[in-house]
Amino acid sequence: MLVVDDQPLFRAGLVALLNAAAGMTVVGEAADGDTAVRLAESSGPDVVLMDVRMPRMTGFAALERIVASGSPARVLILTTSDLDEHVCEALRLGAAGFVLKESEPARLLAAITAVACGEMQFSPAVMRRLVAAYLRADAAATPSSLPGLGELTGREREVLRLVGTGITNADIAARLTVTEGTVKTHLNRVMTKLRLTSRAQAVVTAYESGLVTPQLVARTA
């Protein structure tokens, strides 16, 4: 894990939290994006926890550089702002997730674990903003325009609904009393049937289909 934040006290708190968590080890710290890019290459972290507003190089610029370098590190954006343009920019540049600094420690740790396992991860609050922005940009989309939705089994629809609320595969598995492997299998089938290429698209589809509403996501936040 590489922790990148320009606020020393906040960064120290994150490092202490992560080093105390089972299975997590901080391999480096950075106070700016330029240093983050260099450390991402030299220390080989699985996940980079990246602030947005920093001196010398912003978190988004550092994210773009890390992705362009071909690094296997997955970048989880951590910020105080959930502005629509920030969420969309993070997705465009290849972020694996976007979590607010106000999140509870347990939610942050769950997000890091999910990202390390190859999942996309957004807090419920961020997920609401992302979907709202998407639907504003594509107001013509309707449930009837979603090919393949009728091909989903009942369990696959339930998995899609839960993915749409922004929770992790582990949380979905717990709610459905199945293994994470089973959840991944159902989700892969959903993605294939609906011709989706990312978890973010699956979330948007859950909203467009009416399986998820902003009120439902608010109750899971």
Side-chain angles (χ1 to χ4, degrees):
M1 176 77 58
L2 174 61
V3 177
V4 187
D5 195 286
D6 66 333
Q7 298 178 25
L9 287 178
F10 183 77
R11 188 173 69 250
L14 282 177
V15 171
L17 172 68
L18 297 174
N19 278 331
M24 295 187 186
T25 302
V26 175
V27 298
E29 302 177 40
D32 59 77
D34 184 60
T35 304
V37 172
R38 289 189 282 106
L39 288 178
E41 180 178 358
S42 63
S43 61
D46 295 323
V47 176
V48 179
L49 195 57
M50 182 83 75
D51 189 18
V52 173
R53 296 186 178 91
M54 296 181 294
R56 301 179 62 185
M57 183 186 293
T58 67
F60 285 153
L63 163 64
E64 187 171 25
R65 290 271 298 276
I66 291 172
V67 171
S69 73
S71 169
R74 294 172 60 78
V75 180
L76 179 61
I77 297 294
L78 181 65
T79 181
T80 58
S81 173
D82 66 345
L83 295 176
D84 294 346
E85 58 266 29
H86 285 176
V87 176
C88 294
E89 182 72 355
L91 278 176
R92 185 183 71 79
L93 294 174
F98 193 108
V99 180
L100 299 181
K101 286 185 176 180
E102 67 188 31
S103 300
E104 294 291 331
R107 188 180 294 279
L108 174 61
L109 294 176
I112 293 171
T113 299
V115 165
C117 291
E119 296 181 26
M120 295 287 288
Q121 183 64 37
F122 296 89
S123 68
V126 169
M127 194 69 76
R128 289 195 299 272
R129 299 294 295 272
L130 171 62
V131 173
Y134 180 93
L135 293 179
R136 284 198 301 272
D138 191 19
T142 62
S144 60
S145 68
L146 300 173
L149 190 64
E151 298 178 18
L152 300 184
T153 66
R155 180 47 60 93
E156 287 166 355
R157 290 172 70 91
E158 180 66 5
V159 168
L160 177 59
R161 184 185 71 80
L162 290 171
V163 166
T165 66
I167 64 177
T168 67
N169 284 355
D171 288 333
I172 295 173
R175 295 193 184 196
L176 299 181
T177 320
V178 297
T179 66
E180 285 189 59
T182 298
V183 171
K184 290 179 181 178
T185 297
H186 285 310
L187 182 55
N188 286 339
R189 289 173 180 165
V190 169
M191 304 278 279
T192 298
K193 290 179 180 180
L194 300 185
R195 300 180 182 177
L196 306 176
T197 59
S198 72
R199 195 179 185 94
Q201 287 183 353
V203 171
V204 171
T205 297
Y207 271 78
E208 289 181 333
S209 67
L211 291 174
V212 176
T213 64
Q215 293 75 20
L216 174 62
V217 177
R219 289 198 297 270
T220 69

